[in-house]
Amino acid sequence: MNAKVFRFAHRTRLLAPSMILELMKLMGQPGLVSLGGGLPSADGFPSEAVREASHRVLTQHPREALQYTTTEGLLALREWVAARLSQRGLAVQASQVLITSGSQQGLDLVAKMLLENGTQVAVEAPTYLGALQAFAPYEADAIEAACDDAGPLPERLAELAGARALYLLPNFQNPTGRCIPHARRVQIAAQARSMGLPLLEDDPYGDLWFDQPPAAPVAAHWPEGTIYLGSFSKVLAPGLRLGYAVSPLPVHDLLVQAKQAADMHSSTLAQYIVLDLLRTGMLDGHLDDVRIRYRIGRDAMAQALHTHMRDLATWQIPDGGMFFWMTLPPQIDSASLLPLAIKHGVSYLPGAAFFARNPMRNAVRLSFATESPARIAQGVAALAKLVRHTLTAQSGQAQ
Amino acid sequence: MNAKVFRFAHRTRLLAPSMILELMKLMGQPGLVSLGGGLPSADGFPSEAVREASHRVLTQHPREALQYTTTEGLLALREWVAARLSQRGLAVQASQVLITSGSQQGLDLVAKMLLENGTQVAVEAPTYLGALQAFAPYEADAIEAACDDAGPLPERLAELAGARALYLLPNFQNPTGRCIPHARRVQIAAQARSMGLPLLEDDPYGDLWFDQPPAAPVAAHWPEGTIYLGSFSKVLAPGLRLGYAVSPLPVHDLLVQAKQAADMHSSTLAQYIVLDLLRTGMLDGHLDDVRIRYRIGRDAMAQALHTHMRDLATWQIPDGGMFFWMTLPPQIDSASLLPLAIKHGVSYLPGAAFFARNPMRNAVRLSFATESPARIAQGVAALAKLVRHTLTAQSGQAQ
């Protein structure tokens, strides 16, 4: 009946029910070892500092913190972002910074500005599935850049000519965990510049390095052709829903207009709280704690994979971020296996979800950010047992 | 240079720089009597209650309040919305409620689902300019419903046949302040149902009544054909950026997918704070205070208009909300006059901004929510003097 009343735009056909949304329903099972989600560890949230910041803000500036604010976001917060990025090698003015509701909103707004039916957008293979979701309703064709373990291959970027942008996650990529080395960044920027292929650089994980900070952003090598997205979700807390988009001025002006039409501005209260937190100078010490915590998780997962999986799968050990990307034997379809895995007490994300065009069906993404080392070991052991069992059963059937 | 690198989607041509954004820059002048903005009075924010709620939330549920949450929003908050709307005559389940970042985001998401190039969307004349901004990037043609002082004329809705939706602000409309009476709501719903014309009902001001609550929502008369948008901005505080979209299930499912792609979910912390606040039972008492405050503003403006404008302009006295709509003599162009008005210490919004197609150039929107009664009187007096002076000067030129 409703279907007859409402006529939907063509783009709604491209809004596939999110695999993540569907999986999250399955993943509510108590006791499940959740290697699937990308949730930061709540143990690492600076809860007390947020409580104190919130109290200060609502005592000192309640009228401002509860009122509408400018679409761009608080100037002092934008200045902080500009200064921070400049320290990391990306020279930026506050006037280029737009505060967004997480970097997910940055993806949506950029897509809204650049993409439409009949255009192409290039992505890594695999890439962040939330980006694929953000791009889909704008009806562009997603095409895949050829990649190796160090990221997109500069010599093959020419295949992407004409795309409205190349979407990159250079630091500890979701899902692969890979980090693009400095030299590759320089090559990608040079090649993209020579082609006139804009870059969309998404960097939620850059601060989550374990041994040494990643190289300067790709944007540093082609600032006038790159839109850079950052987030407070992984360095402070995702529930605040704050991120930022940094772009050359003509793009910035359009993004601000699009942001105003989309939701006026991001939560003023959340912006005041984050600004207050940052001004206490707590961030670097807090990040040291987060890095130690995630590094322990990374080591626990590396150990568990080595113990249980070394004859079954291949993986790289990431130098930061939250994820391992694991390739299982080709006869394993990780999406089909998932319901069984959940029944056996462990979840992961099937690798196929992370491809725009040509999915790998035998890969999985494993997160080491959410669970304790002991539970990571337990989950990996359960998964290994299940994979081993499945291979045996399949080989039995084949005979 | 950048213009050559970035190629923008066609929709960006429809993102006119917002008149409001431009005006806000002018309106920063100190001492200016701001009758232009639509800011709720910060004196009326429940700052202390928010501070206490924030403290409780960050003491009792810090891990949950700072973490990602479901796209739909907190279930308990959605249940509260459903119960509240049911009291107001709109029977709703929590499963139909999506928490949004203000009702502006509801407008964006609904437009994303329903509108595209080659379609039409119908609006009142005049209508909320933020809705026109939200609709524009989806490239539909906005057409205008014929209206009188009681809202759209049911017998002329047939002219809107084929539009993807009719956008309505039935309660204390922004900009006119008009409230659609019960009988007219029933007629509009019946006519729209018979035509298969979906309704988009936006209700940020419904709780801001002065004498008696407005009639039940239009959606109550055609629930399966109406999407209803509400907001916590005017009843609690706009800086929280929280609102809700209530829709029939097939639409709801699409809106949830669109919301996930757009920004994952709205601020978890803001949702927990609002839920905690609502559970204290403070809302109704708080709303009584807000109504008294705004009623005093309304009365001050009615008095000032009567004193200074009665031979110059016409207006209706609104029974709620935040705005007067005033028609000046036809030879006054309110947009051209504005810079001069700001120089003379008073701002307003030119009426032309609120029309999709056929602007009235001699109307203005005046807000009584932001300024004190004394300053409202001062601002109206300054405006009257300026209008009188302009008419005299024009008549001098004409001779």
Side-chain angles (χ1 to χ4, degrees):
Chain A
M1 175 168 183
N2 293 304
K4 287 187 198 160
V5 176
F6 291 96
R7 282 160 297 156
F8 297 111
H10 181 264
R11 68 174 63 83
T12 62
R13 293 175 229 178
L14 304 168
L15 281 171
S18 155
M19 186 186 276
I20 282 191
L21 263 188
E22 295 306 304
L23 291 174
M24 280 191 150
K25 289 174 194 163
L26 287 178
M27 289 178 192
Q29 185 185 310
L32 187 74
V33 178
S34 176
L35 307 181
L39 301 187
S41 169
D43 295 338
F45 292 159
S47 305
E48 199 173 316
V50 174
R51 188 167 67 238
E52 288 165 6
S54 161
H55 182 80
R56 274 191 301 271
V57 161
L58 287 165
T59 305
Q60 294 167 7
H61 313 289
R63 298 166 64 94
E64 295 78 13
L66 296 175
Q67 187 57 284
Y68 289 112
T69 185
T70 56
T71 299
E72 290 90 334
L74 298 183
L75 180 58
L77 187 57
R78 298 161 65 214
E79 286 170 344
W80 185 93
V81 168
R84 182 90 175 175
L85 290 177
S86 297
Q87 284 169 7
R88 292 188 45 206
L90 178 59
V92 160
Q93 304 297 316
S95 59
Q96 294 174 259
V97 179
L98 168 67
I99 301 297
T100 59
S101 297
S103 69
Q104 185 69 27
Q105 188 181 45
L107 294 170
D108 176 58
L109 297 177
V110 170
K112 202 170 185 176
M113 291 306 89
L114 297 182
L115 306 185
E116 62 196 321
N117 194 352
T119 64
Q120 292 185 324
V121 60
V123 299
E124 295 171 283
T127 190
Y128 172 51
L129 78 83
L132 296 175
Q133 281 182 276
F135 300 161
Y138 299 104
E139 305 181 71
D141 287 324
I143 58 174
E144 291 182 338
C147 296
D148 65 11
D149 288 346
L153 295 164
E155 65 274 20
R156 298 206 31 206
L157 290 184
E159 296 166 17
L160 312 175
R164 289 292 173 96
L166 167 58
Y167 170 67
L168 293 171
L169 265 156
N171 292 330
F172 318 122
Q173 196 219 26
N174 180 354
T176 61
R178 77 181 163 213
C179 194
I180 303 180
H182 170 75
R184 179 71 67 93
R185 294 177 190 223
V186 173
Q187 291 169 326
I188 289 172
Q191 177 61 23
R193 182 204 300 258
S194 77
M195 295 168 59
L197 173 67
L199 300 175
L200 172 53
E201 179 171 19
D202 192 7
D203 188 17
Y205 308 108
D207 280 310
L208 304 182
W209 48 268
F210 300 146
D211 298 306
Q212 55 182 10
V218 180
H221 307 293
W222 192 29
E224 70 277 23
T226 306
I227 303 168
Y228 175 94
L229 303 179
S231 175
F232 293 106
S233 291
K234 275 72 184 185
V235 298
L236 289 172
L240 298 164
R241 303 308 304 130
L242 287 182
Y244 41 90
V246 179
S247 48
L249 287 184
V251 181
H252 174 77
D253 293 344
L254 288 175
L255 290 179
V256 171
Q257 291 170 26
K259 167 82 178 163
Q260 188 181 54
D263 63 3
M264 302 273 201
H265 60 78
S266 295
S267 166
T268 325
L269 179 59
Q271 291 188 59
Y272 267 92
I273 290 173
V274 166
L275 179 62
D276 183 285
L277 268 180
L278 296 171
R279 282 178 166 168
T280 65
M282 60 74 76
L283 183 64
D284 287 318
H286 172 67
L287 276 173
D288 286 341
D289 292 345
V290 173
R291 284 178 199 127
I292 289 168
R293 181 181 302 279
Y294 284 6
R295 187 185 179 133
I296 290 170
R298 188 271 314 259
D299 291 345
M301 185 165 276
Q303 179 61 51
L305 290 172
H306 181 75
T307 303
H308 300 289
M309 288 281 192
R310 66 179 180 278
D311 58 332
L312 287 175
T314 59
W315 60 88
Q316 300 288 324
I317 297 178
D319 295 323
M322 301 166 56
F323 306 110
F324 275 75
W325 178 252
M326 180 167 71
T327 305
L328 293 164
Q331 59 270 46
I332 297 284
D333 181 327
S334 62
S336 313
L337 196 65
L338 183 59
L340 202 60
I342 289 172
K343 223 176 263 177
H344 285 75
V346 59
S347 70
Y348 55 79
L349 275 193
F354 298 91
F355 291 85
R357 294 208 152 185
N358 305 303
M360 272 180 74
R361 304 206 176 279
N362 57 326
V364 299
R365 189 195 75 178
L366 301 175
S367 164
F368 52 82
T370 312
E371 298 281 9
S372 68
R375 283 173 59 84
I376 287 173
Q378 177 193 333
V380 168
L383 182 57
K385 191 173 163 188
L386 180 64
V387 170
R388 210 175 296 279
H389 180 80
T390 305
L391 290 173
T392 310
Q394 283 180 349
S395 110
Q397 282 174 352
Q399 279 165 7
Chain B
M1 176 171 182
N2 293 304
K4 288 188 196 158
V5 176
F6 291 96
R7 281 160 298 156
F8 297 111
H10 181 264
R11 67 174 63 83
T12 61
R13 292 174 229 177
L14 304 168
L15 282 171
S18 154
M19 188 188 274
I20 282 192
L21 263 187
E22 295 306 304
L23 291 175
M24 280 190 149
K25 289 173 193 161
L26 286 178
M27 289 178 194
Q29 185 185 308
L32 188 73
V33 178
S34 176
L35 307 180
L39 302 186
S41 169
D43 295 337
F45 292 158
S47 305
E48 199 173 315
V50 174
R51 187 167 66 237
E52 288 166 3
S54 160
H55 182 79
R56 275 191 301 271
V57 160
L58 287 165
T59 305
Q60 293 167 7
H61 314 288
R63 296 166 66 95
E64 295 77 12
L66 296 175
Q67 188 57 284
Y68 287 114
T69 186
T70 57
T71 299
E72 290 90 335
L74 298 183
L75 180 59
L77 187 57
R78 298 160 66 214
E79 286 170 344
W80 185 92
V81 168
R84 181 91 176 174
L85 289 177
S86 297
Q87 285 169 7
R88 292 189 44 206
L90 178 59
V92 160
Q93 305 297 316
S95 58
Q96 294 174 258
V97 179
L98 169 67
I99 302 297
T100 59
S101 297
S103 68
Q104 184 71 26
Q105 189 182 44
L107 294 169
D108 176 58
L109 297 176
V110 170
K112 202 170 185 175
M113 292 304 89
L114 298 181
L115 305 185
E116 62 197 321
N117 194 352
T119 63
Q120 291 185 324
V121 60
V123 299
E124 296 172 282
T127 190
Y128 172 51
L129 80 84
L132 296 174
Q133 280 182 278
F135 300 160
Y138 299 105
E139 305 182 70
D141 286 324
I143 58 174
E144 292 184 340
C147 296
D148 65 11
D149 287 345
L153 295 164
E155 66 273 20
R156 300 210 24 210
L157 290 184
E159 297 165 16
L160 312 175
R164 290 293 174 94
L166 167 59
Y167 170 67
L168 293 172
L169 265 157
N171 292 329
F172 317 121
Q173 196 219 27
N174 180 354
T176 61
R178 76 181 164 214
C179 193
I180 303 180
H182 170 75
R184 178 71 67 92
R185 293 177 192 224
V186 173
Q187 292 169 327
I188 290 171
Q191 176 62 22
R193 182 204 300 260
S194 76
M195 294 167 60
L197 173 67
L199 300 175
L200 172 53
E201 179 172 19
D202 192 8
D203 188 16
Y205 307 107
D207 280 311
L208 304 182
W209 49 267
F210 301 146
D211 298 307
Q212 55 183 9
V218 180
H221 307 294
W222 192 29
E224 69 277 25
T226 306
I227 303 168
Y228 175 94
L229 304 179
S231 175
F232 293 107
S233 291
K234 274 73 183 187
V235 298
L236 289 173
L240 299 163
R241 301 309 303 129
L242 287 183
Y244 41 90
V246 179
S247 49
L249 287 184
V251 181
H252 175 77
D253 293 345
L254 289 176
L255 289 180
V256 172
Q257 291 170 26
K259 167 81 178 163
Q260 190 181 51
D263 63 4
M264 302 273 201
H265 60 78
S266 295
S267 165
T268 325
L269 179 59
Q271 292 188 59
Y272 267 92
I273 290 173
V274 167
L275 179 62
D276 183 285
L277 267 181
L278 296 172
R279 283 179 165 166
T280 65
M282 60 73 78
L283 184 63
D284 287 319
H286 171 67
L287 276 173
D288 286 341
D289 293 344
V290 173
R291 285 179 197 124
I292 289 169
R293 181 181 302 278
Y294 284 7
R295 186 187 179 131
I296 290 171
R298 189 271 314 259
D299 290 346
M301 186 166 276
Q303 178 61 51
L305 290 173
H306 180 75
T307 303
H308 300 289
M309 288 280 193
R310 67 180 180 277
D311 58 332
L312 287 175
T314 59
W315 60 87
Q316 301 287 324
I317 297 178
D319 295 323
M322 300 166 56
F323 306 110
F324 275 73
W325 179 252
M326 180 167 72
T327 305
L328 293 164
Q331 59 271 44
I332 297 284
D333 180 327
S334 63
S336 311
L337 195 65
L338 182 60
L340 202 59
I342 289 171
K343 224 175 262 178
H344 284 75
V346 60
S347 70
Y348 54 80
L349 275 194
F354 298 92
F355 292 84
R357 293 206 153 186
N358 304 303
M360 271 179 76
R361 304 206 176 277
N362 57 326
V364 299
R365 189 195 76 179
L366 301 175
S367 165
F368 51 83
T370 311
E371 297 282 7
S372 69
R375 282 173 59 83
I376 288 173
Q378 176 193 335
V380 169
L383 183 56
K385 191 173 163 190
L386 180 64
V387 170
R388 210 175 297 279
H389 180 81
T390 305
L391 291 172
T392 310
Q394 284 179 350
S395 107
Q397 281 173 355
Q399 281 166 3

